[in-house]
Amino acid sequence: MASFAQWIEGARPRTLPNAVAPVIAGTGAAAWLGAAVWWKALLALAVAVALIIGVNFANDYSDGIRGTDDDRAGPVRLVGARLAAPRAVLAAAVASLAVGAVAGLALAVVSAPWLIAVGVACIAGAWLYTGGSRPYGYAGLGEVAVFVFFGLVAVLGTQYTQALRVDWVGLTLAVAVGALSSAVLVANNLRDIPTDTQAGKTTLAVRLGDARTRVLYQGLLVLAGVLTVVLMRATPWCAAGLVAAPLAVRAARPLRQRLGGAALIPVLRDTGLTMLVWSVVVAAALAFG
């Protein structure tokens, strides 16, 4: 039986910035329009956190029963390491997604009922990433899904539920956050190229190969930096977002040094930290600048 600490690790806390940063950025975009609503931001945060925990447990379950996680270089997986019964991990995934669904339903009802359809698409995307008969995560579309759901949908959805409209600032934030969020998955899949190839999991990293995946990761970080400069059109104070640049440089160092395997695990943490710091600083600049 998995311990409490192992269940926490199974929820993959290193990925939480992928859920928190978009809500912060979207709230900053709403504040730029003079329409930030704190309790709606909290509801959006509950949706995002519940969904990312749900997708993490669903991924643990689906990859575990397929045998993809039997031999891996990354953090422990509950099913793959035989620490928890598949049924228990599936139950955790369903419970997390249910919490996200309830919070999302409440947010949609008080904002725009058509957002319920967006929520259904998000939950379907969370499950079908590695679940079902033809998971899109096994076809190299994981990074695209992360960009869409934890970039465009999360940021613009947060802005819309508060301001009831979106603008170019929100879209720019959404693309930047989506790029950084996708970079986290790119680094994760770069580390897993050998084991994913052996298991038949054709991620984007497997398709591109080691060298081009490293270039893609760094390109996503550069894109976020360029968009920070673009946001200075809204207020020069957005330049403060470049304070996250040293964190991005640190995150990319293991890739530039051609390191692999477990040596890439800190990249996920540092990329997530880069995204979180950038979102907080830029959102504050938009709110108070």
Side-chain angles (χ1 to χ4, degrees), residues 99-200:
V99 170
V102 171
L105 179 61
L107 188 58
V109 167
V110 298
S111 302
W114 61 264
L115 289 173
I116 295 173
V118 177
V120 171
C122 289
I123 292 174
W127 175 253
L128 295 175
Y129 171 50
T130 54
S133 59
R134 300 184 67 180
Y136 64 82
Y138 282 61
L141 296 175
E143 287 81 359
V144 174
V146 166
F147 179 82
V148 171
F149 290 118
F150 288 100
L152 301 182
V153 173
V155 175
L156 293 176
T158 300
Q159 183 187 29
Y160 185 85
T161 54
Q162 296 177 53
L164 297 182
R165 66 188 179 98
V166 298
D167 67 346
W168 73 268
V169 171
L171 180 59
T172 305
L173 286 166
V175 174
V177 170
L180 292 171
S181 193
S182 295
V184 175
L185 185 58
V186 169
N188 180 81
N189 289 341
L190 171 65
R191 181 199 65 214
D192 292 341
I193 285 178
T195 54
D196 284 345
T197 301
Q198 185 178 5

Side-chain angles (χ1 to χ4, degrees), residues 43-125:
L43 270 177
L45 182 62
V47 173
V49 170
L51 286 182
I52 203 163
I53 292 175
V55 74
N56 287 340
F57 280 130
N59 177 244
D60 191 311
Y61 167 78
S62 297
D63 278 351
I65 63 174
R66 282 189 170 93
T68 308
D69 286 341
D70 288 351
D71 182 19
R72 56 179 286 106
V76 67
R77 294 291 180 258
L78 297 171
V79 177
R82 311 296 191 270
L83 293 173
R87 182 177 297 179
V89 177
L90 176 60
V94 171
S96 298
L97 294 176
V99 170
V102 171
L105 179 61
L107 188 58
V109 167
V110 298
S111 302
W114 61 264
L115 289 173
I116 295 173
V118 177
V120 171
C122 289
I123 292 174

Side-chain angles (χ1 to χ4, degrees), residues 135-281:
Y136 64 82
Y138 282 61
L141 296 175
E143 287 81 359
V144 174
V146 166
F147 179 82
V148 171
F149 290 118
F150 288 100
L152 301 182
V153 173
V155 175
L156 293 176
T158 300
Q159 183 187 29
Y160 185 85
T161 54
Q162 296 177 53
L164 297 182
R165 66 188 179 98
V166 298
D167 67 346
W168 73 268
V169 171
L171 180 59
T172 305
L173 286 166
V175 174
V177 170
L180 292 171
S181 193
S182 295
V184 175
L185 185 58
V186 169
N188 180 81
N189 289 341
L190 171 65
R191 181 199 65 214
D192 292 341
I193 285 178
T195 54
D196 284 345
T197 301
Q198 185 178 5
K201 185 177 182 180
T202 311
T203 62
L204 181 60
V206 170
R207 290 182 182 274
L208 293 177
D210 185 280
R212 286 187 291 180
T213 300
R214 293 174 190 269
V215 172
L216 173 61
Y217 172 87
Q218 294 174 77
L220 290 169
L221 296 188
V222 170
L223 175 59
V226 171
L227 292 176
T228 304
V229 176
V230 172
L231 285 167
M232 291 173 62
R233 289 183 55 200
T235 169
W237 288 104
C238 283
L242 296 174
V243 72
L247 293 172
V249 171
R250 186 178 73 178
R253 186 175 297 124
L255 283 86
R256 297 196 309 273
Q257 295 174 343
R258 312 297 299 177
L259 300 180
L264 293 176
I265 295 176
V267 177
L268 279 68
R269 175 201 64 205
D270 292 340
T271 309
L273 184 60
T274 300
M275 176 169 50
L276 190 58
V277 170
W278 183 88
S279 298
V280 169
V281 173

Side-chain angles (χ1 to χ4, degrees), residues 7-22:
W7 275 103
I8 294 297
E9 186 175 2
R12 307 182 198 180
R14 289 183 183 87
T15 65
L16 287 180
N18 294 60
V20 177

